[in-house]
Amino acid sequence: SLQEGVGKMKAAMAAKQDPSLVIAGRTSAVQIAGLEEGIARAKAYEAAGVDALFMVGVKTRAEVDAISAATTLPLILGGATPELEDKDYLSARRVRIALQGHQPIMAAVQAIHATLKALRDGVKPADLTGLPSKDLMRVATRSDDYDRWTKDFLGG
């Protein structure tokens, strides 16, 4: 229900301790119940104090235009369609994140499968291909931060 959703948003905002944490009110109402219900939820979540609106299932420019006109917060779109690929158009309507599907996770699963299969088939770890550079791994794992935190907090 809308009341329950608003209650969840208020609870999330009340629990927020770090001012840099962004609480996004997420709803699939446009996809499930239609644009009017989606806008009603977005407006109610905005009134509850969330920092952004995460609208799942929005597929058309008309829907984005209507949501953008009815609200003032930054927008996150889940589930891109070809109609919503124009970054300038989206930016002009306060869309700050437009998810493009689950392909990164699917690519990771494929890479894990290929690596484990190669190891099972006898390829030595030093002979594996497609691995990231040490520099990329340091960035991805935030090694510099980890090293600094280890020194600052553990005296290492």
Side-chain angles (χ1 to χ4, degrees):
S1 76
L2 179 58
Q3 183 179 5
E4 181 181 341
V6 168
K8 289 177 180 180
M9 298 306 125
K10 287 181 178 179
M13 295 305 296
K16 180 177 172 175
Q17 296 178 13
D18 181 347
S20 66
L21 177 69
V22 171
I23 304 291
R26 181 187 185 279
T27 181
S28 301
V30 172
Q31 183 177 24
I32 295 168
L35 181 59
E36 188 175 314
E37 177 63 23
I39 289 173
R41 279 192 183 260
K43 290 170 82 170
Y45 292 174
E46 183 171 12
V50 300
D51 303 304
L53 298 168
F54 185 172
M55 308 299 290
V56 177
V58 173
K59 298 191 182 324
T60 69
R61 285 184 174 215
E63 291 169 337
V64 172
D65 289 343
I67 294 164
S68 178
T71 62
T72 63
L73 294 175
L75 301 174
I76 302 167
L77 298 182
T81 62
E83 188 174 340
L84 300 178
E85 290 178 349
D86 182 336
K87 293 176 185 174
D88 292 332
Y89 165 81
L90 294 173
S91 178
R93 280 140 187 93
R94 297 185 324 282
V95 174
R96 298 299 175 251
I97 299 172
L99 301 178
Q100 299 176 20
H102 298 285
Q103 290 82 356
I105 296 297
M106 293 163 43
V109 167
Q110 179 61 43
I112 291 167
H113 178 268
T115 301
L116 291 173
K117 182 178 183 316
L119 290 169
R120 185 190 68 204
D121 291 346
V123 175
K124 292 182 180 11
D127 295 333
L128 290 169
T129 60
L131 300 178
S133 69
K134 287 182 182 183
D135 288 339
L136 177 55
M137 284 304 299
R138 287 191 67 77
V139 170
T141 61
R142 297 179 62 186
S143 284
D144 292 340
D145 289 334
Y146 179 81
D147 293 344
R148 187 179 74 252
W149 294 329
T150 299
K151 183 179 179 199
D152 290 349
F153 299 112
L154 302 177

